[in-house]
Amino acid sequence: MVPKVVFGEGCFDQLTSILSSHKKEKAPFIFLVDDVFEKNTEFLDRINLRFNDKLIFISAEEEPKTSQVDDLVKDIKAEFTYAPSGIIGIGGGTVMDLAKAVSIMLINKGSAADYQGWDLVKQKAVYHVGIPTISGTGAEVSRTTVLTGPVRKLGINSDFTPFDQVILDPDLTIGVPKNQWFYTGMDCFIHCVESLNGTFLNAFSQSYGEKAYDLCLEIFLGDSLSEEESRAKLMMASWHGGMSIAYSQVGVAHAMSYGLGYVLGTKHGVGNCIVFQHLEEFYPKDVALFKKMVEKHNIEIPQGICKNLSREQMETMITVALGMVPLWENALGSNWEAIITPEKLKELYLRM
Amino acid sequence: MVPKVVFGEGCFDQLTSILSSHKKEKAPFIFLVDDVFEKNTEFLDRINLRFNDKLIFISAEEEPKTSQVDDLVKDIKAEFTYAPSGIIGIGGGTVMDLAKAVSIMLINKGSAADYQGWDLVKQKAVYHVGIPTISGTGAEVSRTTVLTGPVRKLGINSDFTPFDQVILDPDLTIGVPKNQWFYTGMDCFIHCVESLNGTFLNAFSQSYGEKAYDLCLEIFLGDSLSEEESRAKLMMASWHGGMSIAYSQVGVAHAMSYGLGYVLGTKHGVGNCIVFQHLEEFYPKDVALFKKMVEKHNIEIPQGICKNLSREQMETMITVALGMVPLWENALGSNWEAIITPEKLKELYLRM
């Protein structure tokens, strides 16, 4: 788990003092920052670059890739003689995942792709700090970093993956576009639905998942919260949702969304929404709640994105989705292959 | 926060493998074990003592003291040339707090009393593992260790206090006597009530506190849980309650209970219950719920414990309680001294 966290409106300004005790001589801090902030000079001025510290803007247009991690690591190693004092990720799930992966790969040899899986990382990562600027993915708290590799989309799950420090400042989520806010918030909601309805659930995950789920209902279906309260609560929902997943597993929506992401590059948040709306037979109560939320917030969920797939693309999508064995086992039990056949998946994808 | 945790029925048996990577040559693991297990050979056989590892039984009859910490540290230093590989606390809140304090004081000079307060510890503690065998105190997750010192009862609050590893095995709470189970569970419930009704609350603490509170209602007032589910959920309630307090503050019941503890040696759990039943004017809804729980589980709460106090004892009790300034501020706001006068406290104590 993340050993240190600060929370509160404005707590982002504690960053400089938090970093000061981790500064090593001649070794820079590297800030990976979502390029949505590229023209936000007011915000950038609050990032206190000192000595040889470096800021790198990251596009979150696409899901993070192992090759992107390898390139970042190569560039940092080429520019600096000393391993960085720390990596600071400021952004959404993509930036969180890249910051975690880069901090691991600055120390561990080879390509990030070599470490996709469980507990393959052997050396402690560079000190790394996560500062989410959108809520829902749980990437700020999870022990994985999901990457698209040459062979598969899979996380680097390890004891060295979680951030050493997280800064949760709800004010940083001011200005997130509405669709993005919704899709990413639904990532949390769908995590929880899948975790709470899964066969791998234990009381630890359940308690976190229930809290995140309840917060999502309060935020997306309730009417009593101020915007400030809503931002703070969604940040906590993301946190608890991520904790829940750390000790349980996701399910049908994530398995199918991975397929969309792999073939079409559909981003994780919106991909989950595209899939989830068609999963009544697996999660009837929660798909109904989801549709209410979509309606209440007047959100467009993309439709018909699979209808022009080539046969080969559809086969790849199905293969990727079926490869997520632990997710299917969690969702449907050990007998899942009798329920989810390639034909069944094709039929579901064609509705999307 | 605690960086590593395992959860689940039977996970206690992972202890040996967890410790193995922390073993330093010639340096023992010291197991501090609640003496309630002294004759439980079946349980003791599961603690795998190796090489020069040492098991020390701890009486939880009294609340932990700074002098007790100092004595334990002195004994360990006298017996072993090398600082221990780790301290493993197995027991209730008293043992948790002692294990945390001993691990700090094996490295930091002077007496434990020198470190009562906030962030006075400068050196990283010895590796320490917490294994609760009763649920409710939250001591397994908190960044404090509450100790009675020569001058005051106050925690060693520091970044080095939290356990490096916690093992949450609900099966270890099988066999806890019913009163003890209730008093300690109510420690959690009362934590949450005080935190949720406090002025220091933020969305972080609130989300943890609400979950722990909801779990307590389910456990102590519901009828749907099996004993196994109830044990697992109470262990999680304790965890979330402790997390909530880490970033907020307790209130009236804790301030007054500290007074009882200081003068009469009343243990924390039962002390909170003794106080809480008389706090309708501060927490009306929750005192009513508490009384329902007492009745449902047919629990005796001690009565009349203050009626034979000497004048001096009463004055000390009031002074200790009034000294808990942050607790009163949290409960009643900055104007608390107008509400809680020495006379008011005396009147309340005399009802107990």
Side-chain angles (χ1 to χ4, degrees):
Chain A
M1 304 200 322
V2 173
K4 294 199 183 183
V5 56
V6 294
F7 175 89
E9 286 78 13
C11 73
F12 177 69
D13 291 327
Q14 295 179 30
L15 177 60
T16 303
S17 95
I18 286 170
L19 293 182
S20 64
S21 66
H22 295 274
K23 174 74 185 169
K24 291 180 193 150
E25 210 186 340
K26 298 183 186 166
F29 286 107
I30 311 286
F31 295 79
L32 304 181
V33 180
D34 193 314
D35 67 3
V36 76
F37 294 106
E38 196 157 3
K39 295 195 173 134
N40 186 339
T41 50
E42 198 191 333
F43 178 71
L44 295 177
D45 284 346
R46 293 171 68 196
I47 301 175
N48 203 346
L49 295 182
R50 303 166 77 170
F51 310 109
N52 56 349
D53 291 350
K54 187 177 174 83
L55 190 155
I56 301 172
F57 286 111
I58 302 286
S59 163
E61 272 299 300
E62 297 187 2
E63 299 281 295
K65 295 184 183 58
T66 56
S67 58
Q68 197 180 359
V69 174
D70 295 343
D71 289 346
L72 280 163
V73 169
K74 207 174 117 192
D75 291 348
I76 293 168
K77 284 187 169 173
E79 184 167 348
F80 298 99
T81 319
Y82 297 88
S85 294
I87 302 294
I88 297 95
I90 303 175
T94 295
V95 176
M96 294 296 104
D97 278 350
L98 282 174
K100 291 193 276 187
V102 166
S103 73
I104 289 170
M105 293 313 301
L106 280 164
I107 303 291
N108 292 272
K109 289 188 179 146
S111 161
D114 304 336
Y115 298 91
Q116 287 180 286
W118 278 265
D119 300 307
L120 302 172
V121 180
K122 299 300 173 206
Q123 305 287 327
K124 194 174 183 317
V126 166
Y127 173 75
H128 49 305
V129 179
I131 308 177
T133 61
I134 185 168
S135 299
T137 68
E140 66 280 15
V141 72
S142 74
R143 84 184 280 280
T144 190
T145 159
V146 182
L147 300 171
T148 305
V151 188
R152 54 185 161 267
K153 183 168 175 180
L154 184 63
I156 300 179
N157 297 268
S158 86
D159 282 350
F160 305 114
T161 307
F163 287 110
D164 297 295
Q165 169 84 54
V166 169
I167 294 179
L168 296 177
D169 182 345
D171 282 354
L172 300 185
T173 66
I174 294 175
V176 170
K178 191 172 177 188
N179 274 347
Q180 197 59 27
W181 163 79
F182 186 85
Y183 297 150
T184 313
M186 286 303 107
D187 191 10
C188 176
F189 179 72
I190 295 168
H191 272 155
C192 292
V193 169
E194 294 182 303
S195 163
L196 292 171
N197 289 284
T199 58
F200 293 178
L201 192 66
N202 65 23
F204 190 96
S205 293
Q206 186 184 10
S207 64
Y208 280 102
E210 285 172 349
K211 188 67 214 173
Y213 180 91
D214 289 348
L215 286 166
C216 286
L217 295 189
E218 192 181 0
I219 294 159
F220 291 100
L221 285 178
D223 285 310
S224 64
L225 298 178
S226 69
E227 286 195 15
E228 186 182 345
E229 288 169 330
S230 178
R231 282 194 298 270
K233 286 190 182 234
L234 188 54
M235 196 156 255
M236 288 313 301
S238 178
W239 181 262
H240 292 305
M243 283 298 300
S244 175
I245 292 306
Y247 295 88
S248 65
Q249 189 49 278
V250 284
V252 180
H254 274 74
M256 293 193 69
S257 173
Y258 280 140
L260 290 182
Y262 194 87
V263 173
L264 295 175
T266 314
K267 290 214 66 181
H268 185 70
V270 68
N272 279 344
C273 290
I274 291 168
V275 173
F276 196 66
Q277 61 185 334
H278 297 292
L279 299 186
E280 291 95 341
E281 66 183 286
F282 303 107
Y283 309 112
K285 181 188 72 165
D286 295 307
V287 172
L289 287 171
F290 172 78
K291 289 183 173 172
K292 271 195 196 167
M293 297 181 200
V294 171
E295 197 186 334
K296 181 178 166 85
H297 297 285
N298 200 16
I299 303 291
E300 288 286 334
I301 308 284
Q303 306 291 337
I305 66 166
C306 291
K307 68 179 175 202
N308 295 322
L309 288 182
S310 70
R311 206 176 102 179
E312 201 186 339
Q313 281 180 308
M314 179 59 89
E315 277 172 11
T316 306
M317 199 176 272
I318 290 170
T319 305
V320 169
L322 284 177
M324 310 307 289
V325 175
L327 282 63
W328 295 111
E329 281 185 354
N330 178 50
L332 305 168
S334 55
N335 196 33
W336 67 272
E337 285 172 295
I339 305 164
I340 291 294
T341 59
E343 295 70 39
K344 174 74 185 175
L345 273 185
K346 185 173 175 185
E347 183 225 310
L348 282 167
Y349 274 131
L350 283 176
R351 287 191 224 161
M352 294 171 190
Chain B
M1 305 199 324
V2 173
K4 293 199 181 182
V5 57
V6 293
F7 175 90
E9 286 79 13
C11 74
F12 177 69
D13 291 327
Q14 295 179 29
L15 176 60
T16 303
S17 94
I18 286 170
L19 293 182
S20 64
S21 65
H22 295 274
K23 174 74 184 172
K24 292 178 191 151
E25 211 186 337
K26 297 185 188 165
F29 286 108
I30 311 284
F31 294 80
L32 304 181
V33 180
D34 192 314
D35 67 3
V36 77
F37 293 107
E38 197 158 1
K39 295 195 173 135
N40 187 338
T41 50
E42 198 190 333
F43 179 70
L44 296 177
D45 284 347
R46 293 170 69 193
I47 301 174
N48 204 344
L49 295 182
R50 301 166 79 169
F51 310 110
N52 56 350
D53 291 350
K54 187 178 173 82
L55 190 155
I56 300 172
F57 286 110
I58 302 285
S59 164
E61 272 299 300
E62 297 186 1
E63 299 281 296
K65 296 184 183 60
T66 56
S67 58
Q68 195 181 1
V69 174
D70 295 344
D71 289 345
L72 280 163
V73 169
K74 208 173 117 193
D75 291 348
I76 293 168
K77 285 187 169 173
E79 184 167 347
F80 298 99
T81 319
Y82 297 88
S85 294
I87 303 293
I88 296 97
I90 304 176
T94 296
V95 175
M96 294 296 104
D97 278 350
L98 282 174
K100 291 193 276 188
V102 166
S103 72
I104 289 169
M105 295 311 303
L106 280 165
I107 303 292
N108 292 273
K109 287 187 179 147
S111 161
D114 305 336
Y115 299 91
Q116 287 180 285
W118 278 265
D119 300 308
L120 303 172
V121 180
K122 299 300 171 205
Q123 305 288 328
K124 193 174 184 316
V126 166
Y127 174 75
H128 49 304
V129 179
I131 308 177
T133 61
I134 185 168
S135 298
T137 69
E140 66 279 15
V141 72
S142 74
R143 82 185 280 279
T144 189
T145 158
V146 182
L147 300 172
T148 306
V151 187
R152 57 186 161 268
K153 183 168 175 178
L154 183 63
I156 300 178
N157 297 267
S158 86
D159 281 350
F160 304 114
T161 307
F163 287 110
D164 297 296
Q165 168 84 55
V166 168
I167 295 179
L168 296 176
D169 182 346
D171 282 353
L172 299 185
T173 66
I174 295 174
V176 170
K178 190 171 177 190
N179 274 347
Q180 197 58 27
W181 163 80
F182 186 85
Y183 298 150
T184 313
M186 286 303 106
D187 191 11
C188 176
F189 178 72
I190 295 168
H191 273 154
C192 293
V193 169
E194 294 184 301
S195 163
L196 292 171
N197 289 283
T199 58
F200 293 179
L201 192 67
N202 65 23
F204 190 96
S205 293
Q206 185 184 10
S207 64
Y208 279 103
E210 285 172 349
K211 188 65 214 175
Y213 180 91
D214 290 348
L215 286 168
C216 285
L217 295 188
E218 192 181 1
I219 294 158
F220 291 102
L221 285 178
D223 285 309
S224 63
L225 299 177
S226 69
E227 287 195 13
E228 187 182 343
E229 288 169 330
S230 177
R231 280 193 299 270
K233 287 191 181 233
L234 188 53
M235 194 155 256
M236 288 313 302
S238 178
W239 180 262
H240 292 304
M243 283 298 300
S244 173
I245 291 305
Y247 296 88
S248 65
Q249 190 47 280
V250 285
V252 180
H254 275 74
M256 294 193 68
S257 172
Y258 280 140
L260 290 182
Y262 194 85
V263 174
L264 295 175
T266 313
K267 291 213 66 179
H268 185 71
V270 66
N272 278 344
C273 290
I274 291 168
V275 173
F276 196 67
Q277 61 185 333
H278 297 292
L279 299 185
E280 291 95 341
E281 67 183 287
F282 303 105
Y283 308 113
K285 181 188 73 165
D286 296 307
V287 172
L289 288 171
F290 172 78
K291 288 183 174 175
K292 268 195 198 167
M293 297 182 201
V294 171
E295 197 186 332
K296 182 178 165 85
H297 296 286
N298 200 16
I299 302 292
E300 289 287 333
I301 309 285
Q303 305 292 335
I305 67 165
C306 290
K307 68 179 175 201
N308 295 322
L309 288 183
S310 70
R311 206 174 102 179
E312 201 189 338
Q313 281 180 310
M314 179 59 88
E315 279 172 9
T316 306
M317 199 176 273
I318 290 170
T319 305
V320 168
L322 284 177
M324 310 308 290
V325 174
L327 281 64
W328 295 111
E329 280 185 356
N330 178 49
L332 304 168
S334 56
N335 196 32
W336 67 272
E337 285 174 294
I339 304 164
I340 291 295
T341 59
E343 295 69 40
K344 175 73 186 176
L345 273 186
K346 184 173 174 185
E347 184 226 310
L348 282 167
Y349 273 132
L350 283 176
R351 285 193 226 161
M352 291 168 193

